[in-house]
Amino acid sequence: MTARTPELRLAADVLKGLRQDLFLDALAYRPLPPMRTDGPLIRGLPRRVREYAARTPHALVAAAGTVAMLVLWATRDRGAVAVLAGLLVLAPVLLTLARPVGAFWLSLAVAPVATEMLDDSWSDWPWPAGVFVGHLTVLVVVAIRTRPRTAWWMWLLTGVYSLSTDPFLAGTHYQPANTAQMLTTSAVLLLAVTVWHIRRTAERQVTAEQTQTAQERSRRTLLEERTTIARELHDVVAHHMSVVAIQAEAAPYRVENPPPELEKAFVTIRENAVAALTELRRVLGVVRAEDYEVPDAPQPTLADLDALLANVRGAGLPVDKVVTGAVRELPQGVELSAYRIVQEALSNSLRHAPGAGARVEIGYVLGGLGLRVVNDPPPQLSLVKPSPGAGHGLTGMRERVTMLDGGMTAGPTEDGGYEVTVFLPVATAPAGGTGGEA
């Protein structure tokens, strides 16, 4: 069997779309949902009124159908026949609230019946005035509730019906056919609905893309911060392992005539330290960028905090430091993270509260280290405008605190400033220890 040509495939797809939109879904039950009540125009109303306001679309559709019925009655005074014809026009409009595609077919079937019931040689044809308004209402409501493709199928079938009735009604009416008016008016209305659909779809896509972009940006920031922490920890641990290896190698020469067991133990310590250092570099070295250079100076600690505060003061941020508790040496990872947290908190103060003062509190407590960085509200007449940020600094601080199993809170103060509070736990040295690194 030969493959179908592109033209045949296109025609098959078109017919498949027609079958799906207007035949398979003809009797699908799709009740019109109530309108949302959290919009700016409705949420301020009383609760009872909001419940009724949610049915506004249903009321508008019913009102449009009523208008079509009244237009038919106004142009025809035929008693019970006109009443029945008006109800026939109203029925498909109301049906759009539950079965929109079925309502279109009903409106198309009602048109010739109502025209015949209101037979008048001087009337509009093939769309009497009331039928004209009712069918336009059905087309618009169904187009809003379905998709643009369905709307244009309905327009095409409306045109087929209008043109097919011309030969039968042309000889019995003195007025010219209003087919052109129906097709032109419905095309304009359906085009407006199509544009509305396209714009609504585009807005949804933009919103989804913005949400995805924000999530990806947050995830990328988190990974970048973790990479930075891994680099710093690599440098810290590598330094300590190098010191262990060097000291293990030099230790036997500091003892006169060391026993072979001691020499062997130091050799084993050195070999293990070198092996651990090699493995550490192999595993953590992959997080380094190609242009990353190992810093020549040691990683900063809380002992370097005064130099940081001096730089911050030089940048225009008045900052005070308060230290409480017995100052002691902490594990280098804790010292480094504490330094970076204070550094980032002060940077945020410079960006978001230019001209305000700041205060750094460091508390050496039993079982850990407490940090508190708080800035005053920015002055009203500051010449420097705040710099908007994406919250990446807070992400980095939280990552460091989480890595050390600590706790962190950040938020505005009652006077309009901002406060960052952190606790970093430190394991207590065993009795008789030096109180240094845990």
Side-chain angles (χ1 to χ4, degrees):
M1 184 178 180
T2 58
R4 292 186 299 178
T5 62
E7 292 80 5
L8 290 177
R9 287 198 299 268
L10 178 60
D13 291 340
V14 170
L15 293 177
K16 183 178 179 181
L18 172 62
R19 179 171 175 267
Q20 178 66 37
D21 292 343
L22 293 181
F23 290 95
L24 295 181
D25 295 340
L27 298 179
Y29 180 63
R30 299 174 184 172
L32 180 64
M35 189 171 61
R36 294 175 56 183
T37 58
D38 56 353
L41 298 179
I42 300 180
R43 62 189 176 194
L45 299 175
R47 179 180 177 181
R48 191 73 172 178
V49 178
R50 286 202 306 269
E51 294 178 358
Y52 290 109
R55 298 291 177 177
T56 300
H58 305 73
L60 291 176
V61 172
T66 303
V67 169
M69 182 176 61
L70 294 177
V71 168
L72 187 144
W73 288 350
T75 56
R76 295 290 182 274
D77 186 12
R78 298 227 175 167
V81 175
V83 172
L84 181 58
L87 293 176
L88 287 177
V89 171
L90 176 62
V93 177
L94 297 180
L95 188 61
T96 59
L97 299 176
R99 304 183 189 274
V101 178
F104 164 73
W105 287 112
L106 180 61
S107 180
L108 210 59
V110 163
V113 175
T115 302
E116 183 64 25
M117 293 175 65
L118 303 173
D119 188 21
D120 186 349
S121 299
W122 295 97
S123 64
D124 296 327
W125 65 280
W127 300 98
V131 180
F132 189 99
V133 176
H135 191 69
L136 281 181
T137 302
V138 170
L139 288 178
V140 172
V141 175
V142 177
I144 291 175
R145 301 203 55 206
T146 56
R147 64 177 95 180
R149 186 178 69 181
T150 305
W152 293 107
W153 277 126
M154 293 189 301
W155 181 84
L156 181 61
L157 291 176
T158 298
V160 170
Y161 162 77
S162 300
L163 296 175
S164 63
T165 56
D166 283 355
F168 300 100
L169 300 178
T172 60
H173 287 76
Y174 300 107
Q175 298 287 345
N178 58 358
T179 298
Q181 291 90 325
M182 167 59 77
L183 295 181
T184 302
T185 305
S186 59
V188 172
L189 294 176
L190 294 180
L191 180 61
V193 174
T194 301
V195 171
W196 174 79
H197 270 296
I198 294 174
R199 180 174 180 178
R200 189 181 181 187
T201 302
E203 290 176 349
R204 289 177 176 175
Q205 291 177 348
V206 170
T207 302
E209 291 175 357
Q210 289 176 345
T211 302
Q212 183 177 3
T213 300
Q215 293 175 348
E216 291 178 353
R217 186 185 300 114
S218 177
R219 189 180 303 113
R220 184 171 62 250
T221 301
L222 189 62
L223 293 176
E224 290 175 354
E225 189 60 34
R226 288 179 177 176
T227 300
T228 301
I229 295 173
R231 291 171 180 170
E232 294 177 345
L233 287 179
H234 174 274
D235 299 335
V236 170
V237 177
H239 169 73
H240 285 290
M241 295 301 294
S242 299
V243 171
V244 170
I246 294 172
Q247 289 180 345
E249 184 177 9
Y253 300 101
R254 298 181 180 180
V255 180
E256 185 177 356
N257 298 323
E261 293 81 3
L262 183 60
E263 289 184 352
K264 185 178 180 181
F266 279 121
V267 170
T268 302
I269 292 174
R270 180 182 181 280
E271 290 177 350
N272 288 334
V274 172
L277 183 60
T278 302
E279 187 68 15
L280 178 67
R281 287 173 175 167
R282 183 184 70 82
V283 175
L284 294 183
V286 298
V287 303
R288 296 191 186 278
E290 294 181 358
D291 57 349
Y292 178 78
E293 297 181 0
V294 178
D296 297 331
Q299 293 287 359
T301 65
L302 289 177
D304 303 306
L305 201 56
D306 289 337
L308 172 64
L309 299 183
N311 290 335
V312 172
R313 294 187 186 104
L317 176 66
V319 57
D320 298 325
K321 183 182 77 168
V322 176
V323 180
T324 58
V327 178
R328 64 184 186 276
E329 185 180 358
L330 301 174
Q332 191 166 357
V334 176
E335 294 257 356
L336 173 61
S337 294
Y339 179 92
R340 294 300 190 200
I341 290 172
V342 173
Q343 183 183 42
E344 185 59 40
L346 293 177
S347 298
N348 286 341
S349 298
L350 281 170
R351 284 194 296 267
H352 303 295
R359 179 184 176 90
V360 177
E361 298 177 4
I362 303 174
Y364 291 85
V365 297
L366 182 64
L369 177 72
L371 299 174
R372 181 173 180 265
V373 182
V374 58
N375 61 261
D376 301 328
Q380 297 294 332
L381 300 179
S382 176
L383 298 179
V384 182
K385 294 183 178 180
S387 174
H392 295 173
L394 289 176
T395 301
M397 286 189 277
R398 293 188 189 280
E399 274 297 298
R400 293 181 182 275
V401 172
T402 301
M403 177 189 67
L404 297 174
D405 295 328
M408 171 180 165
T409 60
T413 60
E414 294 181 357
D415 61 354
Y418 201 85
E419 176 183 6
V420 175
T421 305
V422 173
F423 177 76
L424 303 178
V426 178
T428 305
T434 61
E437 288 185 328

